Amino acid sequence: MGTFLGENDSWKELKKPLLFFKLEEIKEMFKGFEIVKIDNIEKDDRTGLGVMKHWHIYNVVAKKI
């Protein structure tokens, strides 16, 4: 199970050392696993500090085969 930042996340504009992924890249990382579920979430919402931003995250549930 894991959560990954998607390529459309607004934190990408910060030019910080963060990793952003495309769906195809995530599927490639999980070769050798059975992907049970991938949620692709894009929404505008607040951070933990109350700042608005655009979120693009993938939530992945997978098991080793």
Side-chain angles (χ1 to χ4, degrees), residues 7-28:
E7 62 185 325
N8 298 326
D9 196 281
S10 65
W11 278 344
K12 194 172 188 177
E13 300 165 6
L14 297 176
K15 309 292 185 204
K16 299 283 183 180
L18 298 171
L19 296 175
F20 300 89
F21 297 93
K22 296 178 182 179
L23 180 57
E24 300 81 28
E25 293 171 319
I26 291 172
K27 288 180 178 179
E28 182 70 24

Side-chain angles (χ1 to χ4, degrees), residues 11-63:
W11 278 344
K12 194 172 188 177
E13 300 165 6
L14 297 176
K15 309 292 185 204
K16 299 283 183 180
L18 298 171
L19 296 175
F20 300 89
F21 297 93
K22 296 178 182 179
L23 180 57
E24 300 81 28
E25 293 171 319
I26 291 172
K27 288 180 178 179
E28 182 70 24
M29 280 192 292
F30 281 92
K31 279 193 171 178
F33 289 79
E34 175 189 343
I35 296 176
V36 176
K37 184 177 183 179
I38 296 179
D39 292 325
N40 180 1
I41 301 167
E42 281 203 60
K43 64 180 182 175
D44 294 323
D45 205 351
R46 297 188 184 280
T47 67
L49 297 175
V51 178
M52 285 298 291
K53 72 175 286 288
H54 181 77
W55 292 93
H56 184 201
I57 56 174
Y58 294 102
N59 292 319
V60 180
V61 177
K63 63 181 180 178

